């Protein structure tokens, strides 16, 4: 025995020790030895090592198990060549079981073997398939095709270069009279479409024709005779049809497997090529609808799944990226789909009453998807749908799942179809729903209560006249719900749904309930006292209190308020939020009828909630105070001092959200608006401004800048609530701003308050105010200058005839104050009404374009914003003139115009949007760009390339520094690519997109940071194309993660490199979430390197623990 073998034998013996630490250390030492080049094991020793590692997979200790899993791949890798050479001959074995196992094993091997070995496998299969060397045995041919499919499913991304030879062969083999072979060919095509969508592009037409042909491949059944009998809905005809199906669905018929494979292949095609949607929709939709009559349930389910995939591709984009106008492709597809709805309903009419629950579930899923894409399109077919729903709700022979699906579908319909469509069918629909409410199975009862709630909300909406008389149905609905509400031995979900349903019944139909109303309210009160049901009871009570029916809640309100007050002391945040919403609703609906003693109990809990620690709770608390103040002013007088103290402290927060500030303004207005006022105007104004007026010294504003804006808004709100005090307040502010004794903070607050007060109460003495504002523009304090500039613009917006000509004249006459005056003009353009600005548009336009060529970049930025706001005043007239400046203007002018376009684009719809088609608006208005991407993308991709002519060397003393003048343009191009990825993914060629991302991985530091983010997002949005080229993507990521900073580098260089490594590791973590990425040898090797390097392991673990950078899915296990 050699020394190495002897050493290995000793370690193997220790691996059997009863001590887990011995086993762990022996395994670790063995793997460390095997990594040395000097160790060469014979075949017998290798077999023993693998056998021992397999044994350790069942070890009782988790750490030993993990170590065995990690290292098992090392010795197996050396067997790949011999495994391949052993498995390939087994494809010709006379035994079917051996061939099947060889196919399965080769599929797994293909995913993990080296590139050279995979090429050998692919070439072997290709050489055996075509030409004179092709096997003559049908079984051998089936085995080879199955092997191709197995390799495609496990490592399809590696087969891309061979598809031009493979796919035509598969199409040729489908012509042979062998259904099992056809199934295997179609399954292989499905795998290729999922794994290599780009490479399959040239073959999509032929594969589509193949699938359409074999989707209807059913030689043993005559569908025409079935169509002739379609009108006969008697029991005899159904029995006859069943006999016919039984006659032809014999064990020898394999055609259903071919049809199922064709349907799955079409689903893969629709899912992998959204860019071909318009063409695929026209060619595939009618064929799929036609095949809804399929006789085999398994095939029918896959046909439904393929059609649902088509619907999901048609669905317009959702969320904030939704544009004002639909993209052309999606819009046309929606129109075509709308025309196909009658055909779909006709095809599903019989299926909705099929004996198979699985078929009906497929129908409900498909119709729910259709209703979600085309709301209102199913209204005219409600008789058919209601009939199908009632049939399934009454079906107690099948599992409960079908009834839950029917209820879920009905709930969705109530949300998408007009209420009038349900009115004629309610007498038929309500009884089975009521039966489900009483069902002993808790899931059905909970779902039925949700449907009943939606029925009430949709058929008898709040604030709208009722078309349907609820009287015939109220008693039945309320009785069924009360039974569930009274019961205490129910599942928690049923209890919550019953409480919510009662809330909707009382809120929508309370005036129809008669004697049932009071028991319902008392039951809600009882559930409010229960810790388990208090949260849904609060939400139900909120619905009742907010109802426009103005129900009499006096029987419960005296007991409800103290209970709600006690909830405000709880630590459960959701409970406090719901309680405050309920209190606000009660104050709005029952304000003057609330018992003062109970109101005081609630008010005593509020000061603690007006806190910076939870801004949302604070906002709701202040909203309630603003609501209850006019209704119960006497109660507020007692607590106003403590509440105001907390509110004023909150107003000093620099993090104050606009919503909380708005609530505070409403409360302050309510305090001075009551008669007599809860707090006097002068006193409240003094309390508000005290933090500024009382600060010592003049070292500049001690408070945060945002606090001055918040206080100024509150001063303006008080002036608006007391118009008789507004003029005096404005005069006082002008005096404070002018006084040489005023501190910087006082002046800043005075100017900001004037800006707000001038909008609501007039600017006061005009001549004096102009002088004060102009004088302040020359103040030595930057804060005072900025506040005066803001005030000049805001006050001018409220008095354009007097202030705007004055402001334009000052811009011309005062070049030193030009920047501040242009800022004032910007504020005026943003705050003034468009109609008021139109008479001055020409003068402003001329003035702004005179300053486009200014030397200061900051000034040009303000000019650009002013131009953007001005164009919005009259877009049809000014936008063409703006566009002309792109060709006629000087370089700085063109740059300013392009910057101005950015300010034409907003999140919300605007009349200027249709005129912006020639400009780019990917982020906020993607619909403006989608139709132009074919022309834009080549230009964009061109800007991602490094231009050598823009790189220059600058001498800095004895050193030479390289400057890349094209870097900023490349950064902007990659940022634009990210926006396109988020908003226009369906219109992108992901493969080409990835090529430019791949180039960016080796670019400058700033570009690499962007491309790492892009790569992480791509791994989530479209993992298949990323998986295809993961071997090429890993190398630059590995190089970045393992890079070392030169010795003697400055601290900033170390920080820069660390951030780059973190960004690269985030991309690696995102790649590891792709399910099959671990099969890549290069990725597996890098994963092992991450584990063996303490530095990389620490970095990877920190990325995983960071919630801001963690991928959306669980990453591949590296331990």
């Amino acid at each position: 025995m050699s020394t190495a073998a002897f050493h290995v034998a000793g370690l193997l013996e220790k691996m059997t020790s009863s001590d887990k630490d011995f086993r762990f250390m022996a395994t670790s030492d063995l793997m460390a030895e095997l990594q040395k080049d000097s160790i060469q094991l014979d075949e017998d020793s290798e077999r023993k090592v693998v056998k021992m590692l397999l044994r350790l997979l069942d070890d009782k200790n988790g750490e030993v198990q993990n170590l065995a899993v990690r290292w098992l791949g090392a010795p197996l890798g050396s067997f790949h060549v011999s495994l391949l050479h052993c498995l390939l001959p087994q494809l010709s074995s006379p035994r079917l079981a051996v061939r099947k196992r060889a196919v399965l094993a080769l599929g797994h091997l293909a995913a993990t073997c080296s590139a050279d070995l995979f090429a050998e496998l692919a070439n072997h299969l290709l050489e055996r398939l075509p030409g004179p060397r092709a096997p003559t045995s049908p079984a051998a041919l089936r085995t080879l095709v199955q092997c191709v499919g197995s390799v495609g499913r496990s490592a399809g991304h590696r087969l891309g270069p061979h598809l031009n030879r493979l796919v035509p062969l598969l199409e040729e083999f489908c012509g042979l009279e062998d259904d099992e072979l056809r199934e295997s060919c179609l399954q292989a095509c499905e795998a290729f479409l999922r794994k290599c969508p780009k490479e399959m592009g040239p073959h999509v037409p032929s594969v589509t024709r193949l699938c359409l042909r074999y989707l209807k491949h059913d030689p043993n059944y005559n569908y025409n005779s079935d169509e002739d009998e379609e009108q006969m809905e008697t029991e005899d005809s159904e029995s006859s049809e069943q006999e016919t199906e039984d006659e032809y669905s014999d064990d020898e018929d394999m055609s259903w497997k071919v049809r199922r494979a064709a349907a799955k292949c079409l689903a893969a095609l629709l899912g992998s090529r959204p860019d071909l949607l318009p063409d695929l929709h026209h060619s595939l939709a009618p064929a799929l609808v036609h095949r809804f009559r399929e006789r085999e349930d398994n095939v029918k389910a896959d046909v439904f799944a393929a059609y649902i995939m088509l619907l999901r591709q048609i669905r317009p984009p959702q969320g904030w990226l939704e544009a004002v106008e639909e993209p052309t492709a999606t819009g046309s597809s929606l129109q075509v789909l709308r025309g196909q709805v009658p055909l779909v309903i006709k095809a599903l009419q019989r299926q909705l009453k099929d004996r198979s629950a699985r078929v009906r579930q497929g129908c409900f899923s498909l119709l729910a998807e259709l209703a979600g894409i085309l709301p209102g399109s199913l209204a005219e077919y409600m008789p058919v749908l209601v009939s199908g729903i009632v049939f399934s709700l009454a079906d107690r022979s099948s599992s409960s799942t079908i009834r839950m699906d029917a209820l879920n579908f009905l709930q969705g319909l109530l949300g998408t179809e007009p209420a009038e469509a349900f009115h004629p069918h309610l007498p038929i629909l309500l009884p089975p729903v009521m039966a489900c409410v009483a069902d002993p199975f808790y899931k059905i009862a909970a779902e039925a209560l949700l449907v009943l709630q939606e029925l009430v909300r949709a058929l008898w909406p709040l604030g709208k006249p009722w078309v349907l008389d609820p009287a015939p149905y109220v008693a039945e609905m309320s009785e069924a719900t009360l039974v569930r509400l009274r019961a205490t031995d129910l599942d928690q979900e049923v209890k919550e749904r019953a409480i919510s349903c009662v809330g909707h019944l009382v809120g929508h139909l309370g005036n129809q309930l008669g004697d049932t109303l009071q028991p319902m309210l008392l039951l809600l009160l009882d559930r409010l006292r229960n810790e388990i049901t208090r949260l849904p009871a609060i939400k139900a009570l909120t619905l009742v209190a907010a109802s426009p029916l103005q129900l009499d809640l006096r029987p419960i309100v005296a007991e409800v308020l103290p209970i709600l007050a006690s909830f405000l002391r709880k630590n459960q945040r959701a409970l406090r939020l719901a309680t405050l919403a309920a209190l606000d609703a009660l104050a709005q609906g029952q304000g003057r009828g609330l018992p003062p003693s109970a109101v005081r109990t609630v008010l005593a809990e509020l000061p603690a909630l007006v806190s910076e620690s939870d801004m949302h709770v604070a906002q709701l608390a202040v909203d309630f105070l603003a609501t209850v103040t006019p209704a119960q002013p006497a109660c507020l007088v007692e607590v106003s001092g403590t509440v105001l103290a907390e509110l004023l402290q909150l107003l000093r927060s620099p993090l104050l959200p606009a919503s909380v500030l708005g609530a505070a303004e409403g409360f302050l207005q309510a305090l001075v608006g009551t008669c007599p006022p809860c707090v006097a105007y002068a006193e409240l104004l003094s309390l508000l401004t005290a933090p500024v007026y009382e600060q010592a010294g003049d070292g500049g504003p001690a408070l945060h800048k945002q606090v001055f804006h918040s206080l100024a808004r509150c001063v303006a709100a008080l002036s608006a609530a007391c118009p008789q005090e507004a003029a005096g307040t404005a005069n006082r502010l002008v005096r404070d701003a002018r006084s040489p004794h005023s501190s910087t903070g006082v002046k800043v607050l005075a100017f900001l308050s004037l800006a707000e007060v001038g909008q609501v109460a007039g600017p006061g003495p005009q001549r004096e105010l102009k002088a004060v504002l102009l004088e302040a523009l020359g103040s030595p304090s930057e804060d005072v200058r900025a506040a005066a500039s803001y005030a000049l613009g805001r006050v001018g917006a409220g008095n354009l005839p007097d202030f705007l000509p004055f402001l334009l004249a000052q811009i011309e006459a005062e070049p030193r104050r030009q920047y501040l005056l242009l800022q004032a003009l910007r504020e005026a353009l943003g705050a003034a009404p468009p109609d008021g600005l139109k008479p001055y548009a020409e003068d402003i336009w001329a003035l702004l374009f005179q300053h486009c060529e200014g030397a200061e970049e900051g000034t040009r930025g303000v000019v650009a914003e002013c131009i953007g706001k001005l164009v919005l005043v009259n877009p049809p007239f000014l936008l063409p003139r703006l566009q002309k400046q792109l060709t006629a203007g000087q370089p700085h002018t063109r740059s300013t115009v392009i910057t101005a376009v950015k300010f034409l684009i907003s999140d919300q719809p605007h009349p200027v949007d249709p005129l912006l088609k020639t400009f780019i608006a990917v982020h906020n208005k993607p619909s403006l760009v989608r139709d132009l991407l074919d022309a834009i993308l080549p230009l964009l991709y061109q800007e991602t390339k490094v231009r050598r002519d823009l790189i220059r060397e600058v001498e800095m003393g004895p050193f030479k520094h390289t400057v890349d003048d094209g870097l900023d343009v490349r950064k902007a191009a990659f940022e634009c690519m990210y926006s396109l990825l988020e908003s226009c993914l369906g219109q992108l060629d992901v493969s080409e997109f990835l090529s430019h991302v791949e180039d960016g991985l080796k670019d400058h530091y700033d570009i690499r940071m962007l491309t790492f983010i892009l790569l992480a997002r791509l791994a989530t949005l479209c993992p298949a194309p990323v998986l295809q080229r993961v071997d090429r993507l890993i190398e630059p990521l590995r190089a970045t993660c393992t890079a070392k900073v030169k010795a003697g580098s400055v601290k900033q260089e170390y920080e820069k490199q660390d951030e780059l490594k973190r960004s690269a590791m985030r991309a690696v973590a995102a790649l590891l979430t792709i399910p099959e990425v671990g099969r890549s040898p290069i990725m597996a090797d890098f994963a092992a390197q991450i584990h063996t390097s303490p530095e990389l392991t620490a970095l990877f673990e920190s990325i995983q623990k960071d919630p801001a950078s963690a991928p959306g899915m669980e990453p591949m296990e590296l331990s």
Side-chain angles (χ1 to χ4, degrees), residues 23-42:
R23 297 197 303 275
F24 183 87
M25 291 307 299
T27 307
S28 180
D29 291 344
L30 175 63
M31 293 305 108
E33 290 294 324
L34 290 178
Q35 285 186 313
K36 296 178 181 177
D37 294 335
S38 57
I39 297 291
Q40 295 292 332
L41 295 182
D42 54 38

Side-chain angles (χ1 to χ4, degrees), residues 87-101:
L87 288 171
L88 288 178
Q90 302 307 318
L91 294 176
S92 306
S93 171
R95 295 180 58 195
L96 176 61
V98 173
R99 296 201 302 274
K100 283 186 175 180
R101 289 175 183 173

Side-chain angles (χ1 to χ4, degrees), residues 887-903:
T887 54
Q890 297 297 315
H892 280 323
T893 301
R894 294 201 300 273
S895 171
T896 306
V897 168
I898 292 172
T899 308
V901 173
K902 181 172 68 174
F903 299 103

Side-chain angles (χ1 to χ4, degrees), residues 277-298:
L277 179 62
D279 295 335
L280 292 177
H281 187 192
H282 282 88
S283 59
L284 300 185
L288 289 170
V289 172
H290 188 66
R291 289 308 304 170
F292 287 173
R293 59 181 183 169
E294 169 62 51
R295 63 191 176 94
E296 288 285 344
D297 291 351
N298 290 329

Side-chain angles (χ1 to χ4, degrees), residues 640-878:
S640 60
T642 53
V643 169
L644 267 177
E646 295 296 335
L647 181 62
L648 293 173
Q649 187 64 37
L650 186 65
L651 289 173
R652 298 181 195 179
S653 169
L655 305 175
L656 192 71
S659 56
V660 181
L661 180 57
E665 290 174 27
F667 175 48
L668 294 173
Q669 287 180 324
L671 284 175
V672 298
T674 56
C675 190
C678 296
V679 183
Y681 176 89
E683 180 186 352
L684 193 51
L685 189 64
S686 175
L687 287 171
L688 266 177
T689 56
V692 178
Y693 280 81
E694 292 174 3
Q695 65 180 358
D698 192 13
L703 299 169
H704 192 277
K705 290 181 181 179
Q706 184 59 42
V707 177
F708 288 89
H709 285 274
S710 301
L711 295 176
R713 285 271 303 273
C714 292
V715 170
L718 287 178
S719 299
C722 301
Q724 69 277 10
E725 304 281 354
T729 302
N731 286 328
R732 176 191 164 189
L733 292 171
V734 171
R735 286 197 305 273
D736 289 344
R738 192 165 207 171
S739 170
H741 305 293
S742 297
S743 67
T744 299
V746 170
K747 290 182 178 180
V748 169
L749 179 61
F751 283 126
L752 293 178
S753 300
L754 279 170
E756 302 295 342
V757 173
Q759 290 290 297
V760 296
Q766 303 298 323
R767 187 173 302 171
E768 182 183 6
L769 184 59
K770 288 178 186 175
V772 170
L773 291 171
L774 280 180
E775 182 183 348
L777 292 178
S779 168
S781 168
E782 184 181 348
D783 294 308
V784 173
R785 293 198 302 271
S789 172
Y790 177 76
L792 180 58
R794 298 284 291 184
V795 172
N799 190 6
L800 288 174
D802 190 31
F803 267 82
L804 197 55
F806 165 74
L807 181 57
L808 296 177
Q810 287 296 319
I811 294 173
E812 288 282 7
E814 296 281 350
R816 294 181 61 187
R817 299 178 180 176
Q818 199 175 81
Y819 181 74
L820 293 168
L821 291 166
L822 284 170
Q823 283 185 318
L825 179 60
R826 177 189 64 191
E827 294 299 332
L829 291 173
D835 290 339
L837 287 168
K838 283 183 180 178
Y840 310 99
E842 282 298 330
D843 294 338
I844 301 172
W845 182 272
L847 178 72
L848 291 174
F849 275 95
Q850 286 176 16
H851 293 87
C852 281
E853 287 295 318
E856 293 290 332
E857 186 177 354
T859 303
R860 294 199 303 272
V862 179
V863 169
E865 193 170 349
C866 290
I867 292 173
K869 292 179 183 294
L870 182 62
V871 170
L872 293 176
V873 172
N874 191 359
F877 178 65
L878 294 177

Side-chain angles (χ1 to χ4, degrees), residues 346-362:
K346 183 180 178 182
L348 293 179
Q349 185 170 355
R350 294 180 65 193
Q351 315 294 341
L352 283 167
K353 294 187 177 181
D354 195 283
R355 280 179 291 277
S356 167
R358 185 181 180 189
V359 170
R360 281 178 276 147
Q361 284 175 321

Side-chain angles (χ1 to χ4, degrees), residues 40 98 131 240 269 307 343 414 426 498 617 819 824 880 948 1015 1105:
Q40 295 292 332
V98 173
S240 172
L269 174 60
Y307 196 79
L343 298 176
L414 287 165
L426 197 56
V617 170
Y819 181 74
R948 299 295 173 192
L1015 185 56
K1105 291 174 185 175

Side-chain angles (χ1 to χ4, degrees), residues 156-280:
H157 58 283
R158 306 178 77 178
L159 269 177
H162 307 282
L163 290 185
N164 287 334
R165 295 167 61 191
L166 269 174
V167 177
L169 289 172
L170 297 178
E171 294 172 10
E172 182 183 334
F173 295 149
C174 282
L176 302 176
E177 291 299 326
D178 186 336
D179 283 345
E180 190 176 349
L181 179 61
R182 287 171 178 153
E183 180 195 13
S184 300
C185 291
L186 290 168
Q187 286 174 342
C189 289
E190 177 196 352
F192 299 156
L193 285 166
R194 293 189 188 280
K195 304 290 185 178
C196 317
K198 175 68 175 175
E199 289 80 355
M200 281 294 287
H203 308 288
V204 164
S206 57
V207 171
T208 305
R209 287 193 297 271
L210 203 65
C211 292
L212 290 175
R213 176 182 173 187
Y214 288 107
L215 186 66
K216 55 188 178 184
H217 173 66
D218 198 354
N220 296 332
Y221 194 79
N222 184 3
Y223 286 93
N224 293 327
S225 63
D226 189 54
E227 285 179 1
D228 295 338
E229 296 173 6
E230 191 169 321
Q231 303 301 321
M232 302 172 64
E233 298 291 340
T234 63
E235 215 171 286
D236 292 340
S237 68
E238 289 182 2
S239 301
S240 172
E241 180 189 337
Q242 181 63 31
E243 289 169 9
T244 307
E245 290 181 14
D246 292 341
E247 181 182 345
Y248 289 110
S249 296
D250 55 355
D251 294 336
E252 296 180 2
D253 181 17
M254 299 287 291
S255 63
W256 69 273
K257 292 186 176 181
V258 179
R259 299 196 300 279
R260 184 178 65 176
K264 287 185 174 182
C265 192
L266 287 178
L269 174 60
L270 289 163
S272 61
R273 295 306 299 264
D275 52 314
L276 302 177
L277 179 62
D279 295 335
L280 292 177

